[in-house]
Amino acid sequence: MSNIKWIYSRVKSMTVKEIFYRINQKLKIKVYKVKFRNEITINDIFTNRIDDKKINILNKNIQILWDFSKMNPSYFNKVKIFNLEVDLEKEFSWHGFNKIEWNKEKFSFDIEYKNNDSIGEIRQIWELNRHIFLPPLFLKSIRDNELKSYENLKKLFYDWIEKNSFLKGVNWSSSMEISIRAYQWLLIYSIIKDNDDNKFKNDLLKSIINSIEYVTKNFSRYSSANNHLIVESAISSLIGYIINPVFDNNWFKTGYEILNRELVKQFYEDGVNKEHATHYHAFVVDIWLQYNCFLKSINENALHENLLMKSIEFLGYLKYDKSFLEFGDSDDAKIINLSGSNYNYYEYILQFGSIYFSKNLTIENNISEFIFWKILKFDDLQKYIYDKINFFELSGYFIYRNNNNLLLFDIANLGFDKIAAHGHADCLSICYVKDNLPIFIDPGTYVYNIKRDFRDYFRSTEVHNTLNYNGKSQSKIEGSFLWSKKANIIEKNYINNDNFIIITGSHDGYYPFIHKRTLIIHNNFDLIIIKDEFNKENSEINFTLHKDVKIDKIDN
């Protein structure tokens, strides 16, 4: 019954055009199954389509973009994948952990990776198979002239190729995962391009080209076209330009046109991403900055720079001390990590944006993950002053900053487009930091594709700092990334006078009953009053506290 309800809700979220598109995709899959029924590796799909005589032009394209001379990657032989660790010097599987694996011989299209608790969270496998850990290791092996390490890293690449037949297994299930992996392979090629290891370089190129050729024919579309489409099209466009001398394609133009359209579609004019999730906001801004650096390097017009600046400013408003307020989904994903070290992803975006726009949007020291973009100039940066109060009215976020205190009031819709995949039922929720110490917090995400009860719990209204009625969420969860009924914002009002700031919001998630919340902030005494109005019993106000907060009971 639950599966039938999911199918009904999913189809209901589609337009007629999308339904026909999905049917066409099913037909395309049948063709793929016939064409690639035999085991074939990604670099064996074609053999003679690369123009070897123009490799020098390809290398010049790369030299225009990147300079790795200042990079100083750290060495590691163990890769941290969320709460798991993979030792690269020991035998491991690309298809599972703890000897429990996804079927590597089954067609990718036929694998149901959601709610398959017996095998585990697919995001862990995908994170490993993005190969983000490989470029810094190759860079270090070249820098330190470590031939043995270099050969071992090559073996990892060929081991992956051998054990991941084209369109077989879970590592071909997502176009975005394929594009991010191809991006890492391009970085590896860029690092070793001056080596005389021609066979390896040629195999890298073929694997990159075949991967992106598949991605461009299978972009995420319609209700699936969120951050996935932006990442896929940006990487495809960049790779298309670089490899065009040796492999004729139109990927650059196609990706550019998609991004030009999608960025303004997926961001409010105030700079906030419509997925309503801090992490995905940063994730898209990251690839947007990288893509604009690429465009400037080749003397093309950068995309929507005013909107990009606003999106970075919004992230800056969420910062306190060395941390950031978060809301909505997060899978902690990154697109590159050329240092090989752990770092604060949001701080990295602020520093990247600071250098890109020549404005100091953060007080932290520069970190090295993005230094390889030649277009960036590390000159004196103009100091940027954040306002004490900022109401991002279009998206629905009110932010109050005073000394070391930070308040976020969420008067926002659920998420992007009809399925709102990464949003949480957190309307009228608050987050609050006092003296740089988090007090009221967003609960986070925890898990995506398994432990369905926990997936739903962490998205529910029950654990967010807002009103919960009758134990139900404001918006109705229908699947791990699907909502069938959504709360709508009814009211957003903002008043600021000499003494008080008054900000009000309301939603209809419990229709016919309306939840209205008003925040009254006294400018002089740093006093915050939260006033909730809801004309129905069996409701409660929830506050989720940071683990270090201690509560003393004053009286009854």
Side-chain angles (χ1 to χ4, degrees):
M1 180 61 71
S2 61
N3 193 44
I4 293 172
K5 289 172 69 176
W6 181 89
I7 292 171
Y8 172 77
S9 298
R10 189 68 182 90
V11 172
K12 190 178 177 182
S13 70
M14 298 181 189
T15 63
V16 174
K17 281 186 176 181
E18 179 171 3
I19 291 172
F20 280 107
Y21 164 76
R22 299 289 175 187
I23 293 171
N24 185 60
Q25 285 296 102
K26 293 291 185 184
L27 296 174
K28 186 188 290 187
I29 286 170
K30 290 183 181 294
V31 174
Y32 280 135
K33 284 184 174 182
V34 173
K35 187 175 181 180
F36 299 105
R37 61 185 178 274
N38 297 324
E39 302 289 322
I40 183 170
T41 69
I42 182 64
N43 62 6
D44 285 333
I45 294 176
F46 65 81
T47 54
N48 299 314
R49 293 166 65 188
I50 294 180
D51 189 345
D52 295 328
K53 297 176 182 178
K54 296 183 178 178
I55 288 290
N56 288 337
I57 303 176
L58 179 148
N59 290 342
K60 287 180 181 178
N61 283 351
I62 291 171
Q63 288 173 343
I64 292 171
L65 298 180
W66 301 326
D67 176 11
F68 301 109
S69 62
K70 296 179 182 178
M71 300 297 299
N72 186 29
S74 54
Y75 174 78
F76 53 93
N77 61 357
K78 293 182 179 180
V79 178
K80 189 79 171 176
I81 308 294
F82 302 115
N83 62 328
L84 297 173
E85 200 170 60
V86 176
D87 191 335
L88 300 177
E89 295 183 349
K90 295 180 179 179
E91 186 176 349
F92 66 90
S93 172
W94 298 105
H95 299 276
F97 298 104
N98 302 320
K99 297 182 180 179
I100 304 174
E101 298 187 358
W102 298 92
N103 188 339
K104 65 181 181 181
E105 297 173 357
K106 191 174 184 179
F107 267 107
S108 305
F109 324 109
D110 297 334
I111 299 176
E112 180 51 63
Y113 51 80
K114 294 178 182 176
N115 303 317
N116 203 325
D117 291 40
S118 62
I119 303 180
E121 169 60 73
I122 190 62
R123 278 294 298 116
Q124 290 181 310
I125 299 300
W126 282 350
E127 187 70 20
L128 174 68
N129 285 274
R130 285 181 173 185
H131 290 186
I132 289 175
F133 59 90
L134 278 179
L137 290 178
F138 269 100
L139 183 58
K140 182 165 179 60
S141 71
I142 296 295
R143 184 74 46 78
D144 298 343
N145 197 25
E146 296 174 346
L147 183 59
K148 182 179 178 182
S149 174
Y150 176 82
E151 291 298 325
N152 287 338
L153 293 170
K154 279 173 56 178
K155 288 178 183 178
L156 283 177
F157 169 78
Y158 283 114
D159 184 64
W160 190 94
I161 295 297
E162 179 186 345
K163 294 175 181 175
N164 288 271
S165 297
F166 186 55
L167 299 186
K168 304 288 179 66
V170 292
N171 295 321
W172 293 104
S173 298
S174 164
S175 289
M176 185 176 75
E177 300 301 317
I178 297 168
S179 63
I180 292 175
R181 183 167 57 243
Y183 196 15
Q184 311 312 311
W185 292 343
L186 179 66
L187 289 172
I188 293 169
Y189 180 90
S190 308
I191 291 165
I192 69 168
K193 69 181 188 315
D194 296 326
N195 286 14
D196 58 2
D197 196 350
N198 293 329
K199 181 183 183 309
F200 179 42
K201 290 192 291 186
N202 203 47
D203 287 340
L204 275 171
L205 278 179
K206 288 191 290 185
S207 298
I208 292 165
I209 291 167
N210 285 325
S211 294
I212 298 303
E213 189 166 57
Y214 175 79
V215 169
T216 55
K217 292 176 180 176
N218 295 276
F219 281 130
S220 299
R221 298 287 191 184
Y222 294 99
S223 56
S224 300
N226 49 16
N227 63 85
H228 285 232
L229 178 58
I230 288 178
V231 171
E232 292 159 10
S233 53
I235 291 176
S236 298
S237 181
L238 184 152
I239 290 178
Y241 179 89
I242 289 177
I243 60 96
N244 194 64
V246 299
F247 180 81
D248 188 39
N249 67 86
N250 64 347
W251 303 338
F252 168 72
K253 181 181 178 183
T254 300
Y256 186 96
E257 290 173 351
I258 291 173
L259 287 168
N260 195 33
R261 178 185 72 242
E262 287 295 321
L263 288 169
V264 293
K265 179 181 177 182
Q266 296 192 31
F267 279 79
Y268 294 98
E269 290 181 20
D270 59 17
V272 180
N273 185 274
K274 292 181 181 179
E275 294 209 68
H276 294 280
T278 308
H279 171 77
Y280 287 99
H281 177 98
F283 189 63
V284 173
V285 170
D286 184 7
I287 195 64
W288 191 354
L289 279 165
Q290 291 186 51
Y291 189 73
N292 272 3
C293 283
F294 154 65
L295 291 177
K296 286 191 171 187
S297 298
I298 63 173
N299 297 316
E300 293 283 347
N301 293 327
L303 291 176
H304 308 295
E305 287 190 306
N306 289 336
L307 185 61
L308 175 59
M309 179 62 190
K310 290 179 182 179
S311 71
I312 298 168
E313 288 173 339
F314 175 71
L315 198 59
Y317 272 102
L318 298 178
K319 183 180 180 181
Y320 65 94
D321 195 22
K322 295 184 178 181
S323 300
F324 291 76
L325 291 179
E326 293 191 82
F327 51 85
D329 268 353
S330 173
D331 64 0
D332 298 327
K334 299 178 178 69
I335 297 169
I336 56 168
N337 181 5
L338 278 174
S339 73
S341 60
N342 291 322
Y343 60 95
N344 186 309
Y345 190 51
Y346 304 135
E347 186 61 43
Y348 150 73
I349 300 296
L350 285 187
Q351 293 173 10
F352 196 165
S354 295
I355 298 173
Y356 183 89
F357 285 108
S358 298
K359 292 183 179 181
N360 188 4
L361 295 155
T362 178
I363 60 172
E364 303 297 326
N365 293 327
N366 293 318
I367 49 181
S368 61
E369 272 70 30
F370 51 81
I371 293 178
F372 64 99
W373 292 97
K374 282 188 174 180
I375 193 68
L376 297 175
K377 305 295 183 184
F378 294 84
D379 300 328
D380 290 336
L381 305 180
Q382 176 185 346
K383 187 172 179 59
Y384 181 86
I385 305 298
Y386 288 95
D387 294 330
K388 178 179 178 181
I389 303 162
N390 201 322
F391 183 28
F392 295 83
E393 187 172 1
L394 292 174
S395 56
Y397 293 100
F398 172 81
I399 298 174
Y400 172 75
R401 302 160 57 93
N402 187 23
N403 299 321
N404 292 321
N405 305 327
L406 176 60
L407 173 72
L408 171 70
F409 185 24
D410 180 340
I411 320 174
N413 288 315
L414 178 63
F416 178 58
D417 213 2
K418 292 185 178 180
I419 64 173
H422 290 299
H424 288 186
D426 55 2
C427 189
L428 304 190
S429 179
I430 65 163
C431 292
Y432 183 59
V433 174
K434 175 72 173 173
D435 297 326
N436 278 334
L437 299 175
I439 309 296
F440 302 134
I441 63 168
D442 185 276
T445 303
Y446 177 53
V447 75
Y448 269 0
N449 295 292
I450 58 172
K451 301 182 180 180
R452 177 63 190 277
D453 289 345
F454 279 108
R455 170 63 175 155
D456 291 350
Y457 176 73
F458 276 85
R459 293 188 293 161
S460 70
T461 304
E462 181 183 357
V463 292
H464 290 87
N465 302 314
T466 185
L467 180 140
N468 183 237
Y469 169 56
N470 206 24
K472 297 179 180 179
S473 285
Q474 312 154 342
S475 299
K476 187 177 180 182
I477 297 170
E478 207 60 71
S480 297
F481 299 92
L482 180 65
W483 304 78
S484 59
K485 182 186 78 70
K486 303 176 201 172
N488 297 300
I489 299 298
I490 298 174
E491 179 183 10
K492 282 188 286 190
N493 288 322
Y494 169 61
I495 300 172
N496 185 7
N497 57 37
D498 292 339
N499 295 318
F500 288 98
I501 301 163
I502 302 172
I503 179 80
T504 300
S506 64
H507 72 82
D508 66 355
Y510 299 120
Y511 185 83
F513 314 111
I514 303 300
H515 175 209
K516 180 178 180 179
R517 170 169 279 186
T518 302
L519 265 60
I520 304 167
I521 303 172
H522 198 295
N523 277 320
N524 299 322
F525 298 103
D526 200 30
L527 172 69
I528 300 172
I529 298 169
I530 305 172
K531 176 185 176 183
D532 285 287
E533 300 172 61
F534 188 72
N535 190 24
K536 191 67 178 175
E537 295 180 355
N538 203 21
S539 59
E540 60 185 15
I541 306 295
N542 183 72
F543 291 102
T544 297
L545 302 169
H546 188 272
K547 63 184 178 63
D548 293 335
V549 172
K550 293 179 174 58
I551 300 298
D552 290 328
K553 181 176 179 181
I554 299 173
D555 56 38
N556 289 333

